[in-house]
Amino acid sequence: MPELKAEEAAAASRQQQADQVARLPGQPPVGFRQFAGYVTVNESHGRALFYWFFEAADNAAHKPLVLWLNGGPGCSSIGFGEAEELGPFLTQKGAPELRLNKQSWNKEANLLFVESPVGVGFSYTNTSSDLKNLGDKITAEDSYIFLVNWFKRFPQFKSQEFYIAGESYAGHYVPQLSEKIFDENKLASRENFINLKGFLIGNALLDDDTDQTGMIDYAWDHAVISDRVYHDVKSSCNFSEETSTDACNAALGEYYAVYDIIDMYSLYAPICVDDYSTATSTKKPRFISGVAPKLSSRHSQWHRKPSGYDPCVSSYTAVYFNRRDVQEALHANASGKIPYKWTHCSDEFDEWMDSPASILPIIRKLVDGGIRVWVFSGDTDGRIPVTSTRYTLRKLGLKTVREWTPWYDHQQVGGWTIVYDQGLTFVTVRGAGHQVPTFAPRQARQLLRSFLLDKQLPSSPF
């Protein structure tokens, strides 16, 4: 047995060395290590997920590990999460191609990004039929297998506290993966046990009924839609049902038309009007049937990609990750045989097999099981607005332990927070859009720090 363990340790060390990223094109120098590569999740089908991992900027051996997931479904955690939100390196126009993120989350934790499911970003399958069978369930199962195998490659992080974070459709991914780990841990051997402590989700799709109801109420309350459109949607749509009427579809069509001219993900941010964006964007409109919420996802505007303060930043990211020298540095698409370009959101599948209407039963189960759960919301997001999340959390029926209270970012109010029974905490981030770390990077890092320490956010100026 000692010889076998020594062999396994040596193999893990060799794999780590092979995955270590020396330096990316246009990357500023840093003092921490980074790794990228593939972890196989299904040998017989040839399914492999691509990851990018950053050790904490200091004291990595004693910092927790955070996995970040973006949603979509089908959108890249590397393109959005790492390169435009909370990773150490952010893309930008021109040279140098990357800039250092002063508020990177790897200043608080070891930080892992995964492109999931297969068909997203650099993740791939050698079995084309896999792309016709994607859904919430297989995404959680593959992500769990990924983690078990990743920890075998990086055993030095296995004993550290593990957390999962994400936004948007990761409101499905994160709780579902957490539940999978929670259930498997009851049966897992010591070797496969994952030290899950909690999860953190932002502007998260959680419940079809309240998410869509809050979306319409928020748009009317923020003067985005007219009284007539508001009345038409409210009178003709039943968001607790999966089927829709012609009247509801017509009303929602008028509602979504507004977001052709303003940014749904951040009401007060500009839209991209740069020719550069048009030249690098995909011509095919992205549409996935069968995904939650069933009524809204029938409209192509629901699948529109978000952007940040620089509304054209996704165009720069797409150019960067499609460069061959960048892919070689990341050990991505090593064979050069992935038959599609890297994109923020996959065009490789157009149907989603399973997507429950509500994630609340999972959240209730995990809160009852002692898993720390924080939910946050940028309050200028129109996609999954703060109104939706407040309606959703009210459905849980938990008692309030600490009432609606302002929290502070230095001398300014950063937002508000409320604490429910069994530790579930809801936090708003003032002035932030759908991608909170993009719009409020310092506040988002403060939020992460407080979550990891299990401490309330500052309740007075500092």
Side-chain angles (χ1 to χ4, degrees):
M1 283 293 289
E3 288 182 8
L4 183 61
K5 288 193 174 181
E7 288 176 10
E8 290 173 350
S13 177
R14 287 193 296 272
Q15 286 180 311
Q16 283 187 39
Q17 290 175 15
D19 285 0
Q20 186 164 354
V21 176
R23 191 166 177 178
L24 293 163
Q27 177 206 304
V30 293
F32 53 83
R33 295 192 301 172
Q34 56 178 319
F35 303 81
Y38 288 96
V39 172
T40 299
V41 296
N42 187 301
E43 292 276 2
S44 61
H45 283 226
R47 287 206 304 269
L49 299 183
F50 181 78
Y51 81 91
W52 195 357
F53 171 61
F54 302 90
E55 289 188 345
D58 61 80
N59 203 22
H62 298 96
K63 290 277 179 74
L65 171 65
V66 173
L67 166 66
W68 174 269
L69 298 173
N70 279 87
C75 293
S76 168
S77 302
I78 285 167
F80 286 115
E82 195 295 312
E84 297 173 17
E85 297 186 65
L86 56 104
F89 307 126
L90 303 178
T91 52
Q92 61 182 355
K93 187 175 184 178
E97 295 90 342
L98 299 176
R99 64 183 174 88
L100 200 60
N101 180 6
K102 294 179 181 178
Q103 302 299 335
S104 171
W105 283 18
N106 84 318
K107 294 190 175 183
E108 306 297 332
N110 298 287
L111 193 53
L112 175 62
F113 299 90
V114 180
E115 293 188 308
S116 175
V118 292
V120 174
F122 296 122
S123 294
Y124 67 88
T125 177
N126 292 329
T127 307
S128 58
S129 60
D130 283 346
L131 299 175
K132 301 182 186 302
N133 294 296
L134 296 175
D136 284 12
K137 188 172 185 291
I138 195 169
T139 300
E141 289 172 350
D142 278 1
S143 295
Y144 174 74
I145 295 168
F146 167 88
L147 285 172
V148 169
N149 292 336
W150 188 88
F151 278 117
K152 289 176 182 176
R153 190 174 302 182
F154 291 87
Q156 67 267 39
F157 294 101
K158 193 159 178 34
S159 63
Q160 282 152 259
E161 291 188 346
F162 177 64
Y163 298 90
I164 312 177
E167 68 192 8
S168 196
Y169 198 82
H172 280 221
Y173 289 168
V174 172
Q176 288 167 336
L177 176 56
S178 298
E179 181 186 37
K180 179 71 174 173
I181 296 169
F182 182 82
D183 290 345
E184 292 289 343
N185 274 351
K186 295 174 183 176
L187 306 170
S189 64
R190 185 176 178 183
E191 181 188 10
N192 291 337
F193 185 88
I194 295 174
N195 192 22
L196 175 69
K197 296 297 183 182
F199 64 82
L200 175 71
I201 43 177
N203 292 88
L205 190 76
L206 295 171
D207 184 89
D208 283 10
D209 181 11
T210 47
D211 285 343
Q212 293 175 106
T213 300
M215 187 175 70
I216 303 302
D217 290 351
Y218 180 91
W220 179 82
D221 195 47
H222 285 71
V224 172
I225 56 173
S226 69
D227 291 357
R228 181 188 61 78
V229 170
Y230 177 73
H231 176 268
D232 288 350
V233 173
K234 298 292 277 190
S235 62
S236 61
C237 295
N238 182 349
F239 291 128
S240 63
E241 299 288 335
E242 291 188 6
T243 56
S244 182
T245 64
D246 289 343
C248 176
N249 285 333
L252 285 176
E254 284 198 86
Y255 160 78
Y256 278 114
V258 177
Y259 292 116
D260 284 335
I261 56 175
I262 65 171
D263 188 352
M264 186 183 201
Y265 293 89
S266 182
L267 294 193
Y268 310 114
I271 60 172
C272 184
V273 294
D274 195 332
D275 290 340
Y276 184 82
S277 174
T278 305
T280 58
S281 64
T282 176
K283 294 179 181 179
K284 172 186 167 187
R286 185 172 181 270
F287 183 83
I288 302 173
S289 66
V291 72
K294 299 295 192 299
L295 268 64
S296 287
S297 64
R298 292 184 174 93
H299 296 262
S300 60
Q301 293 96 327
W302 176 260
H303 303 279
R304 193 179 297 273
K305 293 184 301 193
S307 60
Y309 275 138
D310 179 346
C312 304
V313 69
S314 288
S315 300
Y316 320 146
T317 305
V319 168
Y320 187 77
F321 285 122
N322 277 298
R323 285 172 47 176
R324 192 66 194 138
D325 59 342
V326 171
Q327 293 179 6
E328 288 173 356
L330 286 171
H331 316 124
N333 191 19
S335 66
K337 292 181 180 178
I338 294 179
Y340 45 82
K341 283 189 172 185
W342 182 95
T343 58
H344 281 80
C345 298
S346 177
D347 292 325
E348 297 310 303
F349 51 88
D350 54 16
E351 190 171 355
W352 200 249
M353 300 306 292
D354 61 288
S355 187
S358 182
I359 300 297
L360 291 181
I362 297 176
I363 290 181
R364 188 65 194 248
K365 170 184 173 179
L366 296 178
V367 168
D368 289 346
I371 299 297
R372 187 184 315 156
V373 178
W374 281 31
V375 181
F376 64 96
S377 187
D379 65 11
T380 67
D381 176 32
R383 175 66 177 273
I384 313 289
V386 63
T387 310
S388 296
T389 305
R390 294 176 82 174
Y391 289 166
T392 298
L393 295 180
R394 191 185 300 167
K395 264 191 174 181
L396 285 170
L398 297 173
K399 293 179 181 177
T400 300
V401 173
R402 188 169 183 252
E403 254 299 349
W404 194 254
T405 307
W407 66 272
Y408 284 83
D409 168 42
H410 296 293
Q411 298 295 310
Q412 302 293 330
V413 172
W416 278 264
T417 182
I418 183 170
V419 181
Y420 296 99
D421 194 21
Q422 295 174 292
L424 188 144
T425 298
F426 175 53
V427 179
T428 73
V429 183
R430 197 161 65 100
H434 190 69
Q435 301 162 283
V436 168
T438 297
F439 293 94
R442 190 177 64 241
Q443 295 92 321
R445 183 179 162 198
Q446 173 66 59
L447 172 65
L448 175 72
R449 184 186 309 125
S450 295
F451 167 73
L452 294 176
L453 294 173
D454 197 18
K455 290 184 176 179
Q456 290 306 308
L457 286 150
S459 57
S460 58
F462 60 94

